[in-house]
Amino acid sequence: MASQDPRTKFSNKDFPKQEQPVPGLQNKLEPKPDCGETSYIGYGRLKDYKMLVTGGDSAIGRAAAIAYAKEGADVAINYLPEEQQDAEEVQQVIEAAGRKAVLIPGDIRNEQFNYDLVEAAYKALGGLDNVTIVAGHQQYRDNIKGFDTASFSETFETNVYPIFWTVQKAIDYLQAGATITLTSSVQGYHPSPILHDYAASKAAIISLTKSLSEELGERGIRVNCIAPGPFWSPLQISGGQPQSKIPNFGQKEVMGRAGQPVELSGTYVHLAAEESSYTTGQVYGVTGGTQLD
Ligand code: NAD
Ligand code: MG
């Protein structure tokens, strides 16, 4: 296919205002994000790999899970029990690609669940080549006084603690050549004052990418991170942004629009595939134009 104009490849029109409780569901989101269900084409870059993706039911995690399967991998996904329907949609796409899908619902704020999740994925898949951590929590507050202990604890317990727990367990299974892919945000570099806790948690993920890559590099395990800009997803309309920011979400980027999750698929695949064998400790920005620095 010939190249397409990135400004108009996906809609740059206003999004309709809409609100959902946490966790937002993709099957109730309008318009539906493009997670590569039909648009992503695989080329066997992850043939027979075994992958675990947290947050794999919707938006960015769904795009990673689908791309991995279309590249030839078997994929276990984790999500919250309330997201079962979204997860089953992903299962259908993975199975239609001829690969194994393993659904493991559960709350990653629970320490023991993380160990059980990694073990269950390893056993069900018969191995583990990559752990991709996409699950995240984002709730805006009007100002610093709005960040009560319960809310900033939930943000860190969801976004940061599970990285320790999943990696601690995963290194019992990951062999040299395996990879870990984390998900930060442009917020980790350019923090917004309505997202003090979320932005700080995403900066912590950048730090962990660097420190983990040094320790695990000695075992031949690569650790990298993706920092997305504004992507259309259930997270944004379930308290991730004020409603007033939903219609124009992403429009101030150089591309003039929000990203669609499938526009991250190739980067997740690249960081898990052999082609990136000399890349570790790096953060890849996929931001629509905002520069990481
Ligand atoms: P999303 O709502 O589709 O994904 C978030 C996922 O996190 C949910 O599907 C849910 O399964 C999981 N999750 C949340 N709390 C959990 C818990 N306690 N236990 C288990 N799973 C839990 O939205 P998304 O935008 O695709 O977000 C995915 C990741 O991308 C998040 O880490 C987010 O911070 C990051 N991100 C998103 C954007 C964006 O603009 N959408 C930008 C930068 C970074
Ligand atoms: Mg979800």
Side-chain angles (χ1 to χ4, degrees):
M1 190 193 291
S3 61
Q4 291 171 265
D5 185 336
R7 300 167 300 174
T8 52
K9 180 173 175 182
F10 294 101
S11 171
N12 54 10
K13 305 276 180 305
D14 286 8
F15 292 113
K17 283 189 181 174
Q18 57 200 292
E19 200 149 19
Q20 292 186 33
V22 179
L25 300 179
Q26 178 144 337
N27 59 71
K28 294 202 171 122
L29 186 64
E30 283 301 331
K32 301 278 173 271
D34 186 334
C35 297
E37 291 89 343
T38 55
S39 58
Y40 188 85
I41 297 167
Y43 296 97
R45 290 149 80 194
L46 299 172
K47 184 99 183 78
D48 296 330
Y49 279 44
K50 318 284 186 196
M51 329 279 285
L52 168 61
V53 183
T54 71
D57 60 298
S58 52
I60 295 172
R62 178 188 289 214
I66 287 174
Y68 292 162
K70 290 192 177 188
E71 295 288 354
D74 295 329
V75 187
I77 63 170
N78 162 251
Y79 51 92
L80 285 163
E82 305 94 290
E83 300 174 302
Q84 185 66 26
Q85 188 184 331
D86 281 352
E88 286 175 11
E89 288 177 13
V90 178
Q91 177 180 30
Q92 281 178 12
V93 181
I94 292 172
E95 289 176 354
R99 302 309 309 190
K100 185 171 186 175
V102 180
L103 303 191
I104 312 175
D107 190 331
I108 57 169
R109 287 172 295 171
N110 177 304
E111 177 179 349
Q112 184 60 43
F113 174 72
N114 289 265
Y115 307 139
D116 296 345
L117 167 65
V118 174
E119 186 178 336
Y122 173 79
K123 287 193 170 149
L125 296 170
L128 200 58
D129 298 293
N130 166 279
V131 178
T132 297
I133 299 183
V134 184
H137 180 78
Q138 174 184 334
Q139 288 289 296
Y140 87 91
R141 306 287 171 196
D142 291 330
N143 55 52
I144 184 62
K145 292 237 184 194
F147 290 83
D148 57 36
T149 305
S151 63
F152 66 68
S153 294
E154 183 167 7
T155 301
F156 275 82
E157 285 166 6
T158 310
N159 298 0
V160 180
Y161 294 9
I163 296 173
F164 286 87
W165 297 322
T166 50
V167 170
Q168 283 166 349
K169 184 69 177 175
I171 57 175
D172 292 344
Y173 302 127
L174 296 175
Q175 307 289 317
T179 53
I180 294 169
T181 308
L182 306 181
T183 305
S184 178
S185 167
V186 70
Q187 286 286 325
Y189 294 88
H190 303 287
S192 156
I194 63 168
L195 295 171
H196 286 302
D197 59 349
Y198 174 81
S201 77
K202 292 293 168 175
I205 294 171
I206 294 164
S207 176
L208 282 164
T209 302
K210 296 174 183 174
S211 57
L212 285 170
S213 73
E214 291 211 9
E215 179 175 339
L216 302 190
E218 292 176 9
R219 295 167 175 250
I221 299 168
R222 299 184 292 112
V223 184
N224 291 292
C225 182
I226 297 176
F231 278 78
W232 183 235
S233 82
L235 182 101
Q236 303 297 349
I237 55 87
S238 54
Q241 300 287 337
Q243 278 297 305
S244 59
K245 292 202 173 182
I246 295 299
N248 299 328
F249 180 66
Q251 290 178 6
K252 70 172 175 28
E253 296 303 328
V254 173
M255 292 303 161
R257 62 172 176 83
Q260 292 295 327
V262 70
E263 296 181 280
L264 288 160
S265 305
T267 309
Y268 279 98
V269 168
H270 172 70
L271 291 174
E274 273 307 303
E275 65 202 28
S276 64
S277 52
Y278 202 55
T279 302
T280 195
Q282 305 302 312
V283 183
Y284 279 36
V286 183
T287 65
T290 296
Q291 294 172 16
L292 306 185
D293 52 32

